[in-house]
Amino acid sequence: MTETDKTPTNQTEMMPAWRRETYGSADGFRLEQVPVPVPRRGEVVLRVEATALHAGDVRLMLGDPLLVRPIFGLTRPKYPVRGMEVAGTIVAVGPNAIGAELGERVVGELTGGGGLASHVAVPAARLVPIPPDVTSETAACLTVSAGTAWQALDRAGIGFRSAKGSVAGHVPRVLVIGASGGVGTFVVQLAALRGAEVWATCGERNSRLVEHLGAVRTLDQRTSPLADLPAAHFDAVIDIVGGMGLRELQRLVVSGGSVVLVGGGGGRVLGPIPRILKAVFLSIGSHRRIRPLAATPRPEILAKLLELTAEGRITPVIEREYGFDAASAALAHLEAGHTVGKVVVHGA
């Protein structure tokens, strides 16, 4: 079959998609009929089987902080369809989409969004084949959330054998702040898999879950403030939620240890930028570095995560699954906060 044969000729075919043309809350999304995308050079079109949602979807939905709007749409969203973590089947292949095969199940991260539709166009280079024993719902959860967790541990120097620069036989101790969310549940599992002793913060109702994922101790910050922990107690701190002073986080790690900032709010205009700049300042000349993380799509990491999942060594925590017709309710649930693990929307 030639590339021309693989590319659909009917450009007027329509599909359902959840759209909101302005920034705002989830209740403003509407199910509309829009043209099925045609793959451009290097792209494929997926029939979407599952879309996992994460905190970044809410940020872009609200246009918060304002700093993101010059990139994702100054006055209205550049990507009116949410959903960046997508798994599906390739149904059309564009020119020069190297390695893509019709009918293949794949997973990958979208730029900006587009997953809450029946079909979506994706650069082929961002996609990874899904192993036969891994469901599309499970695979979709790995792209952003698990990928971010992997990169956070790498940035902290927590490898599969020992902490970076540690002496032989030393078991690194890692503190995960915000362990029950989408990224946090993966950080706990991957840190334990890499041989670390994992401490984690979460609400009391989620402590058993987080311990099951691999944490040896859980802390509810409402009753066990981190300020009460001894100094230099951890080789690495992975801060996912923010809200704690940077100097206090720095106090918790050993000399040569790292604090990695994964997320954590910030102001309405600049978001986390002031905190990141302060982290850079506090790290100057310090043996306790504070390292902001800007996770990026890494297909080679996604392939490793799929392999670990197929082997049963990591498992996404899926709190809720929604049918496609209830996608706006899924966004509303995520917007309300306190989601445990992941939220998944099935394909149309």
Side-chain angles (χ1 to χ4, degrees):
M1 178 177 288
T2 66
E3 288 180 344
T4 301
D5 293 329
K6 295 178 185 178
T7 303
T9 58
N10 181 9
Q11 298 187 25
T12 62
E13 184 181 356
M14 304 299 283
M15 69 173 186
W18 286 92
R19 294 167 58 88
R20 175 170 181 145
E21 297 287 349
T22 59
Y23 289 114
S25 62
D27 59 10
F29 279 83
R30 298 290 180 266
L31 187 58
E32 302 175 3
Q33 291 292 316
V34 300
V36 173
V38 175
R40 296 177 295 184
R41 188 173 186 82
E43 289 185 339
V44 302
V45 171
L46 302 185
R47 183 179 67 246
V48 178
E49 296 173 359
T51 300
L53 302 176
H54 66 100
D57 284 302
V58 173
R59 289 287 192 183
L60 293 181
M61 179 178 76
L62 300 174
D64 177 28
L66 297 178
L67 183 68
V68 306
R69 295 197 182 189
I71 301 171
F72 293 102
L74 194 59
T75 59
R76 60 180 56 211
K78 182 178 178 181
Y79 303 95
V81 180
R82 291 271 30 87
M84 291 184 279
E85 300 178 283
V86 173
T89 298
I90 297 175
V91 295
V93 179
N96 204 38
I98 298 172
E101 295 290 340
L102 286 171
E104 187 175 30
R105 279 200 318 138
V106 293
V107 62
E109 179 181 344
L110 307 179
T111 299
L116 294 181
S118 69
H119 295 75
V120 67
V122 192
R126 286 198 170 197
L127 297 171
V128 178
I130 302 174
D133 294 335
V134 177
T135 68
S136 295
E137 291 76 17
T138 293
C141 294
L142 302 174
T143 57
V144 175
S145 296
T148 298
W150 184 292
Q151 292 178 56
L153 289 168
D154 282 353
R155 189 142 175 78
I158 303 299
F160 273 97
R161 294 184 180 275
S162 62
K164 183 178 179 180
S166 65
V167 298
H170 171 66
V171 176
R173 183 180 292 135
V174 177
L175 174 64
V176 183
I177 302 177
S180 61
V183 175
T185 50
F186 283 116
V187 173
V188 172
Q189 292 182 76
L190 289 169
L193 193 61
R194 294 182 182 200
E197 177 187 311
V198 183
W199 293 35
T201 73
C202 62
E204 184 178 356
R205 70 185 180 96
N206 297 321
S207 61
R208 183 170 297 181
L209 166 67
V210 174
E211 289 169 0
H212 176 73
L213 296 176
V216 299
R217 182 173 175 183
T218 58
L219 306 167
D220 186 336
Q221 292 191 68
R222 292 169 296 186
T223 56
S224 302
L226 297 186
D228 293 345
L229 291 173
H233 200 59
F234 301 96
D235 295 275
V237 173
I238 311 295
D239 182 16
I240 301 167
V241 298
M244 189 172 181
L246 294 179
R247 291 185 185 277
E248 184 57 34
L249 292 174
Q250 205 172 28
R251 181 189 72 86
L252 293 174
V253 297
V254 300
S255 178
S258 296
V259 176
V260 176
L261 306 180
V262 176
R268 169 68 174 153
V269 177
L270 296 179
I273 296 301
R275 195 166 191 250
I276 290 172
L277 293 175
K278 184 176 181 180
V280 172
F281 174 77
L282 290 176
S283 295
I284 296 174
S286 175
H287 295 291
R288 297 172 174 85
R289 302 291 300 275
I290 306 176
R291 303 175 184 272
L293 175 69
T296 57
R298 299 279 298 276
E300 71 278 13
I301 290 177
L302 179 55
K304 293 175 183 177
L305 290 164
L306 285 163
E307 181 180 346
L308 292 174
T309 302
E311 294 170 352
R313 301 175 74 185
I314 61 172
T315 304
V317 175
I318 300 177
E319 181 190 47
R320 296 191 186 185
E321 297 185 39
Y322 291 81
F324 184 76
D325 289 345
S328 62
L331 285 167
H333 175 68
L334 194 68
E335 183 184 1
H338 308 295
T339 300
V340 178
K342 300 292 295 179
V343 171
V344 174
V345 178
H346 295 281

